[in-house]
Amino acid sequence: DVVVGSVEEVSFSDDLSEVVVSVRVNREIIPYLDEDAEFWVVEPEVSVRGISGLDTVLSGVYIEGTWDSEAGTAQTRFTGLAEAPLVDPTRPGTPIELRARDGNSIATGAPVLYKGIRVGEVESPQLSPNGEGVVIRAFVEAPYDRLLSTNTRFWDISGVSVTLGSGGVSLDFSSLASLVEGGVSFDTLVSGGDPIEPGQPYQLFGDEEAAQASL
């Protein structure tokens, strides 16, 4: 929330297809604006997770940026993001990649749960390069990312599970957020897995039973 620069001019690109924002930033920030730096516009947003960007109602929208603490080769041109990035370089944790048949039940910001506790979130599903499935980037916060291994299994917890038995009808859902936005849960069901690297791909199973059966 520290002001490090200001917008000087807003114009169009030569072919009028993009908006070009000219920004002047403080001199001490320049060495850190390298290939890892990212920028996006902050504006009010209301979701089941709450209200964000509320301060822009009075101040107006503004540009926010993020970069790591290591100086690199400074750049002067960046492509703005449509929304805040999932992985903040200052935020400890591990990014992973979930692969599923479709992404109908999961929305941007849906929770990643471990034993019912929210430990991360996912981005909006994207089509895989071959178009035969979807890829969902997710982020597991530290220290919970230490629970991940090659034997970890992820499964979809979206919607409501209805069971009809002798005791009547039973409804089961993991959380209000997962009911509305969808969500995923994970567990390392057997020991002996290897540590993972950032970006580790995982299959997203339809439910916990399918995840257990995959072992």
Side-chain angles (χ1 to χ4, degrees), residues 25-174:
V25 298
N26 298 348
R27 186 181 301 274
E28 63 270 18
I29 301 298
I30 293 296
Y32 301 97
L33 302 185
D34 52 20
E35 60 183 7
D36 296 322
E38 295 179 306
F39 298 89
W40 62 95
V41 175
V42 178
E43 52 190 352
E45 179 182 356
V46 180
S47 70
V48 296
R49 302 185 304 279
I51 302 175
S52 62
L54 191 59
D55 55 331
T56 62
V57 174
L58 298 178
S59 66
V61 298
Y62 57 88
I63 294 175
E64 189 168 1
T66 182
W67 47 83
D68 58 32
S69 58
E70 297 181 2
T73 302
Q75 298 185 9
T76 59
R77 298 183 65 89
F78 298 90
T79 300
L81 304 177
E83 55 189 19
L86 176 66
V87 180
D88 184 337
T90 64
R91 182 182 176 191
T94 301
I96 59 172
E97 188 177 273
L98 303 175
R99 299 175 179 176
R101 297 183 61 182
D102 62 65
N104 293 332
S105 59
I106 298 178
T108 303
V112 176
L113 304 181
Y114 178 74
K115 298 188 182 301
I117 303 298
R118 183 175 186 137
V119 298
E121 59 188 31
V122 304
E123 284 187 344
S124 58
Q126 304 289 333
L127 276 176
S128 60
N130 60 13
E132 296 180 355
V134 299
V135 175
I136 307 171
R137 293 180 59 211
F139 185 80
V140 180
E141 302 170 355
Y144 309 106
D145 57 341
R146 292 183 297 182
L147 300 167
L148 301 174
S149 76
T150 53
N151 283 343
T152 301
R153 294 295 185 269
F154 287 80
W155 61 90
D156 192 343
I157 56 171
S158 305
V160 180
S161 174
V162 181
T163 303
L164 179 62
S166 58
V169 177
S170 174
L171 300 179
D172 181 28
F173 58 91
S174 297

